[in-house]
Amino acid sequence: MARTSPSERRAVVATRRRRPTLGVEAIVEVALRLVDTEGVEAVTMRRVAAEFDTGPASLYAYFPHKEALLSAVLTRVLEEIPVPRGDDWQDLLRRHMHTTRDVFARHRDVARLSFGTVPTGEHFVDIAEALLAGLLAGGVPAQVAAWAMDVGALYVAADAFEGYLQGQMFDDGSGRPPEEVGMEFYAGFADAMRALPPSRYPAITGHVDELVSGDGDDRFGFGVDMFIAGIAAQIPR
C-alpha cells in the first residue's frame, strides 16, 4: 500500500476542516449557494450532499425530499426582507414590494419557488402581520387587504422571475452586458412595429415610442403604483 506524505495528510485534514458540518442550516446555505451560482435547477440532493462529502441519503434525515429543501431555501431568502414599518399604508406597501423584488433579484431565479406555495416561517408571518395591520389602519377593507397581499406577492415574484429569464435570454455568450443586448433587441422590436401597415395597426404604429419606453424598474414601479391606486379605490369614502 502506498504511503501518504505528511504534506498530503495535512491537505486531507485541511479539506475536511473546510467542509461544513451537516445540519439543517448548513444544508440550506449550501443549496442557496447553488441557486445563487447556477439556479434552482442545479439543486439536487446529490449535489448538496457532495459538499459535505457524504451521500444524498444523509440529507433525508433533515429533509424528506428536494421540494422540502427548496421550501427551506425560500424561507431563508424571505428572511432578508425587513419587516415593513411606517404609518402611511401606501408608502409601506410600495417600499415592501420594491424591497422584496430587490431581494429576489439577488438570488437568480429563486422567485419561482414562491409560485404555488405558501411560505412558512416566523419572519414571513411577521411580514404578513405588519402588512395587514398597515393596510387595515389605512382604512382598507379587511377582504381587500387580505387579497391584495396575495396579488401583490404574485406580481412581485412574477416580475422578478421574468427579469431573471430576460437576463438569461440576453446573455448571448459574447461577453457584452445583457442590458446592452436587450437594448438592441427592443430597438429591433420597435423597428418591426413601425414597419407594420398603419392602415391595419394605427394604434401600434402611432405609439411605438410609448410601447417600448422605460426600463424594467420604470415598468415595475408603474405596476406597483397602479396596484396601490386600485386598493385605494376600494376604501369607502
Side-chain angles (χ1 to χ4, degrees), residues 19-20 23 31 44 46 64-65 85 98 105 109 119 160 164 182 194 200 202 222 237:
R19 293 188 183 279
T44 66
R46 186 175 300 279
H65 40 66
R85 305 293 184 191
H98 279 276
D109 59 338
Y164 163 78
R194 292 189 181 94
R200 184 175 179 180
F222 169 76
R237 296 188 179 278

Side-chain angles (χ1 to χ4, degrees), residues 9-21 51 53:
R9 289 196 293 271
R10 286 194 297 269
V12 171
V13 171
T15 299
R16 289 174 178 171
R17 287 175 178 172
R18 287 196 296 269
R19 293 188 183 279
T21 302
E51 292 293 320
D53 195 24

Side-chain angles (χ1 to χ4, degrees), residues 39-164:
V40 170
E41 291 297 328
V43 178
T44 66
M45 301 299 263
R46 186 175 300 279
R47 286 284 305 276
V48 174
E51 292 293 320
F52 298 93
D53 195 24
T54 186
S58 301
L59 270 60
Y60 292 120
Y62 303 92
F63 298 97
H65 40 66
K66 186 180 77 170
E67 288 69 26
L69 173 56
L70 290 176
S71 178
V73 168
L74 176 61
T75 298
R76 162 65 180 78
V77 170
L78 294 179
E79 290 173 354
E80 298 179 18
I81 304 170
V83 176
R85 305 293 184 191
D87 297 327
D88 184 298
W89 73 267
Q90 295 192 22
D91 181 61
L92 179 146
L93 181 58
R94 182 178 292 105
R95 284 187 289 106
H96 170 71
M97 294 178 73
H98 279 276
T99 300
T100 301
R101 177 175 177 259
D102 291 342
V103 169
F104 281 155
R106 291 202 296 264
H107 299 288
R108 293 179 67 92
D109 59 338
V110 77
R112 68 192 293 185
L113 297 178
S114 68
F115 299 140
T117 64
V118 178
T120 58
E122 183 178 348
H123 187 73
F124 171 76
V125 177
D126 289 341
I127 291 174
E129 170 66 20
L131 281 176
L132 184 58
L135 291 170
L136 295 175
V140 179
Q143 189 63 80
V144 174
W147 285 356
M149 290 169 58
D150 184 44
V151 174
L154 181 60
Y155 172 63
V156 172
D159 186 272
F161 185 46
E162 184 182 54
Y164 163 78

